[in-house]
């Protein structure tokens, strides 16, 4: 079983690279952002709560995300593995994921840290906002998301280093080169 955490700041390319990894390794994909956006679109109770946080560039409470993730994980049958995209985003979530996998006799195979310079993140997100109309891809909310990333999410880098699961990936440059670096990091494990 492959359990891959794809990690990085907003705009680092987690979604794009996840699609490529899913195709190559035939594993399932959980994007917490995509799940939340679907909940918002369907106007569910969770969606209504999520919208408030997402529009403010803030993280949802850990318990909501962890419950949502556990339900999604249990919905996969005969899975070859999972790529976790947008989760964990806090130390508490990383601990919850570790426990959730341990209950199933598994662990994280590798955490891929897509490292992209901050100016490039900003440019990419503004462009994405113009093209896709994603409500949280506007300059003001992007700035808030980057602050949240640095304060709440970036500490996971050291956490995963301590777990011995960390892999650094150069997240800027040609898409194919980034994918190749990712595959090399996965295949080494
Ligand atoms: P990005 O990586 O570009 O910020 P995502 O689609 O992964 O985009 O997430 C969008 C928003 O959804 C986040 O800003 C946050 O509000 C919420 N969200 C996604 N994943 C999580 C998570 N693991 N914990 C808390 N909130 C989350």
């Amino acid at each position: 079983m492959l359990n891959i955490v794809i990690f990085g700041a907003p705009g680092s390319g987690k979604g794009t690279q996840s699609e490529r990894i899913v195709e190559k390794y035939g594993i399932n994909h959980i994007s917490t952002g995509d799940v939340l956006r679907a909940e918002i679109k369907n106007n569910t109770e969770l969606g209504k709560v999520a919208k408030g946080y997402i529009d403010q560039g803030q993280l949802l409470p850990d318990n909501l995300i962890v419950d949502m993730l556990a339900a999604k994980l249990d919905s996969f049958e005969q899975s070859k593995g999972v790529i976790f995209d947008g989760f964990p985003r806090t130390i508490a979530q990383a601990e919850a994921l570790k426990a959730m996998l341990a209950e199933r006799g598994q662990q994280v195979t590798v955490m891929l840290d897509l490292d992209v310079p901050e100016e490039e993140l900003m440019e990419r997100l503004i462009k994405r906002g113009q093209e896709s109309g994603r409500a949280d891809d506007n300059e003001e909310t992007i700035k808030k998301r980057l602050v949240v990333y640095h304060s709440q999410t970036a500490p996971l880098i050291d956490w995963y280093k301590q777990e011995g699961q960390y892999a650094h990936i150069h997240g800027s440059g040609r898409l194919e080169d980034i994918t190749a670096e990712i595959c090399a990091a996965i295949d080494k494990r």
Side-chain angles (χ1 to χ4, degrees), residues 21-183:
I21 299 169
V22 163
E23 203 170 306
K24 176 156 191 230
Y25 294 92
I27 56 180
N28 294 106
H29 179 203
I30 303 181
S31 159
T32 46
D34 286 351
V35 175
L36 294 172
R37 281 185 288 276
E39 298 277 339
I40 293 173
K41 208 170 150 208
N42 297 328
N43 207 21
T44 64
E45 286 308 310
L46 176 58
K48 285 178 206 160
V49 174
K51 189 171 173 10
Y53 288 97
I54 292 179
D55 288 350
Q56 289 304 312
Q58 300 300 317
L59 299 182
L60 270 78
D62 288 327
N63 61 329
L64 286 184
I65 293 285
V66 169
D67 289 350
M68 181 179 103
L69 195 100
K72 187 94 183 153
L73 206 53
D74 287 332
S75 74
F76 299 141
E77 282 166 28
Q78 299 196 336
S79 172
K80 285 194 208 166
V82 180
I83 181 154
F84 298 92
D85 163 5
F87 179 92
R89 262 174 146 100
T90 62
I91 303 264
Q93 290 179 17
E95 278 163 355
L97 177 62
K98 186 177 176 180
M100 224 183 285
L101 291 176
E103 276 170 23
R104 294 165 173 79
Q106 297 174 43
Q107 58 173 22
V108 168
T109 313
V110 65
M111 182 268 217
L112 305 161
D113 176 23
L114 287 179
D115 187 10
V116 177
E118 189 109 358
E119 319 79 70
E120 196 175 327
L121 293 173
M122 200 73 199
E123 272 171 36
R124 287 186 190 181
L125 289 167
I126 289 172
K127 189 157 164 248
R128 185 170 78 185
Q130 288 162 348
E131 286 165 0
S132 75
R134 226 178 93 166
D136 57 345
D137 285 342
N138 62 75
E139 198 162 340
E140 194 193 333
T141 312
I142 294 167
K143 282 190 182 141
K144 286 192 198 155
R145 281 154 65 207
L146 289 171
V147 170
V148 167
Y149 169 76
H150 287 295
S151 62
Q152 299 189 56
T153 306
L156 285 175
I157 293 174
D158 281 338
W159 195 88
Y160 276 105
K161 281 182 181 165
Q162 277 171 13
E163 296 285 306
Q165 294 160 337
Y166 178 85
H168 176 266
I169 307 289
H170 297 92
S172 54
R174 292 171 52 219
L175 279 182
E176 305 76 71
D177 295 341
I178 301 168
T179 308
E181 195 178 332
I182 287 176
C183 293

